[in-house]
Amino acid sequence: MEFRWIGWCHKDNHDKVWALLPLGDGKYATVWGRRGKTLQSKIQAGWFSEIESAIRSKRNKGYQQI
């Protein structure tokens, strides 16, 4: 698997991860949850600009790329 972006947020008592995985054919999967717990996922369709917007949003919330 080749992840486009993996981020970790560890501020204000949070310990969360969020990742984005391109699937091809205009689809991508997002994966999120607390570190050490069962992660949730969702498959979505979207354009490159939507993907970049999602990553930018997570960075603005304090997620750092790992």
Side-chain angles (χ1 to χ4, degrees):
M1 286 202 279
E2 184 178 323
F3 285 90
R4 167 70 178 92
W5 198 83
I6 301 173
W8 175 49
C9 183
H10 185 69
K11 74 175 201 177
D12 300 330
N13 204 25
H14 293 271
D15 193 3
K16 299 178 181 179
V17 294
W18 184 86
L20 191 140
L21 171 68
L23 301 174
D25 294 332
K27 294 181 182 176
Y28 62 94
T30 52
V31 179
W32 69 92
R34 292 196 178 274
R35 210 166 55 130
K37 302 290 181 181
T38 302
L39 299 176
Q40 299 179 42
S41 64
K42 183 176 182 180
I43 296 176
Q44 303 176 57
W47 300 97
F48 182 77
S49 61
E50 293 172 341
I51 292 170
E52 291 302 312
S53 178
I55 292 170
R56 193 171 30 258
S57 172
K58 291 300 178 182
R59 284 187 174 141
N60 290 340
K61 291 180 180 180
Y63 283 76
Q64 297 178 353
Q65 187 171 4
I66 56 172

